[in-house]
Amino acid sequence: MTSRLSAGETFLVHGGSSGIGTFAIQIAKVRGVKVFVTAGSEEKLAVCKELGADVCINYKTEDFVARVKEETGGKGVDVILDCMGAAYFQRNLDSLNFDGRLHIIGLMGGAVTEFNLGSLFAKRLTVQATGLRMRSPENKAEIVNEVEKNVWPAVVAGKVKLLVYKQFPLSEAAEAHRLMESSQHIGKILLIP
Ligand SMILES: NC(=O)c1ccc[n+]([C@@H]2O[C@H](COP(=O)([O-])OP(=O)(O)OC[C@H]3O[C@@H](n4cnc5c(N)ncnc54)[C@H](OP(=O)(O)O)[C@@H]3O)[C@@H](O)[C@H]2O)c1
């Protein structure tokens, strides 16, 4: 992983019950990482806990920056996996430890924001945005190889499970999108061609 997340470190996953989040929690636990999650309901947080999350934060009722600080003795977490973008940008920087790494994979909370560059200097922070779409086929193939080598063994061993909330035939794609927009789901929504 480009975040260099390693055993003994702390990791905050926003949207812990999402398709991405449920996978990230489990793979981080396999690697000996302490996992923090945010989600918007107690039901979703309970699933995250079952998957191995150590610290579960309801972002609707709690300030995640304060809770992260409280749980880490004021230090902050080492790595954040973020799908909120602008809405969480400054608060994410405030939640990171020295040499912390913020990885942005989604912009659900917008793409434009203003922030204090000083917080990057003060804690030597790294901000990276990553995605699959803009990569060359060769680069995508490299990623698939790395996943096969480093992630797949944990799936085969049953240590990482894929949570599928519901499957739809491709002809019902609009229905699948409505479900995703409602955010009732926990884990993946599959479209079957
Ligand atoms: N860059 C990439 O390569 C890549 C790949 C796949 C996905 N993505 C992006 O990653 C994001 C998640 O994808 P997904 O497939 O896992 O979608 P998803 O299952 O719909 O996940 C979205 C999650 O965000 C949570 N959420 C909404 N508002 C939140 C807030 N204020 N704070 C914390 N969590 C919040 C929702 O949970 P609650 O109900 O708890 O709010 C939901 O679980 C999307 O933005 C997607 O575009 C990026």
Side-chain angles (χ1 to χ4, degrees):
M1 274 206 283
T2 52
S3 68
R4 306 179 319 280
L5 181 63
S6 46
E9 288 198 306
T10 47
F11 177 42
L12 169 63
V13 182
H14 286 303
S17 69
S18 67
I20 296 281
T22 50
F23 198 84
I25 294 168
Q26 298 177 82
I27 200 73
K29 289 313 296 177
V30 167
R31 285 162 184 260
V33 165
K34 182 169 179 180
V35 178
F36 296 55
V37 294
T38 60
S41 75
E42 295 307 315
E43 185 203 354
K44 289 186 170 185
L45 289 171
V47 173
C48 296
K49 196 163 188 55
E50 252 173 62
L51 293 174
D54 301 283
V55 178
C56 297
I57 307 168
N58 186 330
Y59 71 81
K60 290 188 177 155
T61 58
E62 283 185 90
D63 171 2
F64 75 81
V65 184
R67 183 75 189 283
V68 162
K69 290 281 171 68
E70 189 188 312
E71 298 280 347
T72 56
K75 289 199 278 191
V77 290
D78 298 303
V79 175
I80 299 178
L81 182 65
D82 175 70
C83 56
M84 294 306 296
Y88 277 5
F89 195 72
Q90 185 64 55
R91 278 180 283 167
N92 279 334
L93 299 183
D94 295 342
S95 303
L96 282 168
N97 194 0
F98 285 97
D99 297 309
R101 289 90 77 196
L102 169 60
H103 281 257
I104 302 174
I105 58 156
L107 299 173
M108 294 194 314
V112 179
T113 187
E114 191 170 286
F115 75 104
N116 182 354
L117 275 163
S119 33
L120 298 182
F121 279 109
K123 295 193 280 182
R124 301 182 300 268
L125 304 181
T126 302
V127 178
Q128 184 169 21
T130 46
L132 284 176
R133 272 176 233 173
M134 304 301 279
R135 293 174 188 268
S136 66
E138 293 76 20
N139 188 212
K140 285 179 182 170
E142 273 171 39
I143 292 173
V144 170
N145 284 336
E146 290 296 312
V147 167
E148 204 172 358
K149 204 163 62 191
N150 298 311
V151 177
W152 214 244
V155 176
V156 172
K159 292 179 185 163
V160 174
K161 296 191 173 66
L162 196 64
L163 258 74
V164 177
Y165 184 79
K166 199 164 177 183
Q167 300 189 15
F168 293 88
L170 197 52
S171 57
E172 289 173 24
E175 194 52 43
H177 275 279
R178 274 192 284 275
L179 174 60
M180 187 162 254
E181 279 167 23
S182 78
S183 205
Q184 285 167 21
H185 65 289
I186 294 177
K188 297 272 179 198
I189 299 170
L190 295 189
L191 272 180
I192 310 295

